[in-house]
Structures are given as C-alpha cells and as structure tokens.
Amino acid sequence: MSSIVIINGPNLNLLGNREENIYGNISLDKIKSISIDEAKKLNLNLSFLQSNNEGEIIDLIQNAEKAHKGLIINPAAFTHTSIAILDALRAISIPKIEVHISNIYQREEYRKKSITASAVNGIICGFGYLSYVLAIQAIYSLIEN
C-alpha cells in the first residue's frame, strides 16, 4: 500500500468557523475524514497534517520523501509568501500537488500569485472540499503511472 501525505498550512484549523462565504462550513476534521475515505478507495495510506508554523511545514515537507510516495499541500497564506516552502518543495522528488478550497484566481490580487506553484506537478483549486478528493485521485495517478 502506497503512502501519501496531505500538509495543511496556517488557519486551516479554523475551517467551518472562518469566512464561510469563501471556504464553506466544512471543518478540517471533516475534510480529513473525507480524504481518508477517498485514499482507502484507492488503496492509499494517508497522513493528514496541519500546522500554523512555517518552519514545521518545511520540516514536514523535507521528511515526506522518506515516508511517502506523494505529497499534497495546501500552503494556505504561505502560497503567496513563502520562498522557504517553495525551496523545500523543490528539494524533494516525489509527486506533489497544490490544493486550495477557494479559487485563488478569483480572490484578491495578492492571492492570485502562487509562489509555490512552480515546485508542484499541478494545482487544484476552487472546488471546496472536493479539491482534496480530486488531488488524492491525481496524486494516485501520478504515483501509479
């Protein structure tokens, strides 16, 4: 059974209580449950993590290649600001997908640029919690092919 990891960035722990008009009313715990169910359907073992700390996210990325065949990341606000996370993503060679609940290209100007995008195989955004399901299906395809 292949193993994948989903790493979630800052403030995503507040989902369900935060800007529901943008992020919906689903909690991160519910997204985790849905993600685990989808991974099981594909015979994938899933680790689902969240941190508000940039350094911790970098450590998780750096360690991902040792334990996992693929990485899905929602860098949240770090998407637009973190060259350090970009560098960590570039340093590992497993397949990587960036995911966002909202469509970042329909948001504020400063959110329309993903610094981290150039280090991943692709981006899935704008489908709410389904962005995670689609990312799991895509990472599975990248691992298997």
Side-chain angles (χ1 to χ4, degrees):
M1 177 180 286
S2 294
S3 178
I4 63 170
V5 62
I6 296 178
I7 301 172
N8 293 282
N11 298 313
L12 292 173
N13 56 306
L14 300 176
L15 288 176
N17 298 312
R18 168 185 178 222
E19 299 175 284
E20 290 182 21
N21 59 319
I22 296 171
Y23 302 108
N25 60 1
I26 192 167
S27 70
L28 190 62
D29 282 339
K30 181 66 175 170
I31 293 172
K32 177 180 180 179
S33 175
I34 291 167
S35 296
I36 289 170
D37 289 346
E38 184 64 25
K40 283 180 184 175
K41 290 178 192 173
L42 299 171
N43 201 31
L44 294 170
N45 184 35
L46 174 64
S47 295
F48 193 97
L49 310 166
Q50 189 275 329
S51 177
N52 292 319
N53 182 294
E54 185 178 29
E56 185 175 342
I57 292 168
I58 291 165
D59 290 341
L60 293 171
I61 294 167
Q62 289 176 355
N63 292 322
E65 195 163 44
K66 296 172 193 158
H68 305 286
K69 298 278 187 190
L71 179 146
I72 297 167
I73 186 165
N74 184 341
F78 290 137
T79 303
H80 321 289
T81 63
S82 182
I83 294 169
I85 289 176
L86 168 65
D87 289 344
L89 289 167
R90 284 183 174 161
I92 63 172
S93 62
I94 59 175
K96 301 168 288 277
I97 294 176
E98 184 173 311
V99 64
H100 298 284
I101 293 168
S102 68
N103 182 344
I104 63 172
Y105 304 103
Q106 291 181 335
R107 303 277 310 272
E108 304 90 342
E109 279 304 311
Y110 63 89
R111 292 190 196 270
K112 292 180 181 180
K113 171 68 175 161
S114 170
I115 290 175
T116 51
S118 66
V120 297
N121 296 78
I123 299 174
I124 298 171
C125 69
F127 296 98
Y129 75 89
L130 288 175
S131 292
Y132 284 81
V133 172
L134 295 169
I136 292 166
Q137 293 169 356
I139 204 78
Y140 173 78
S141 180
L142 290 173
I143 291 167
E144 295 299 314
N145 296 316

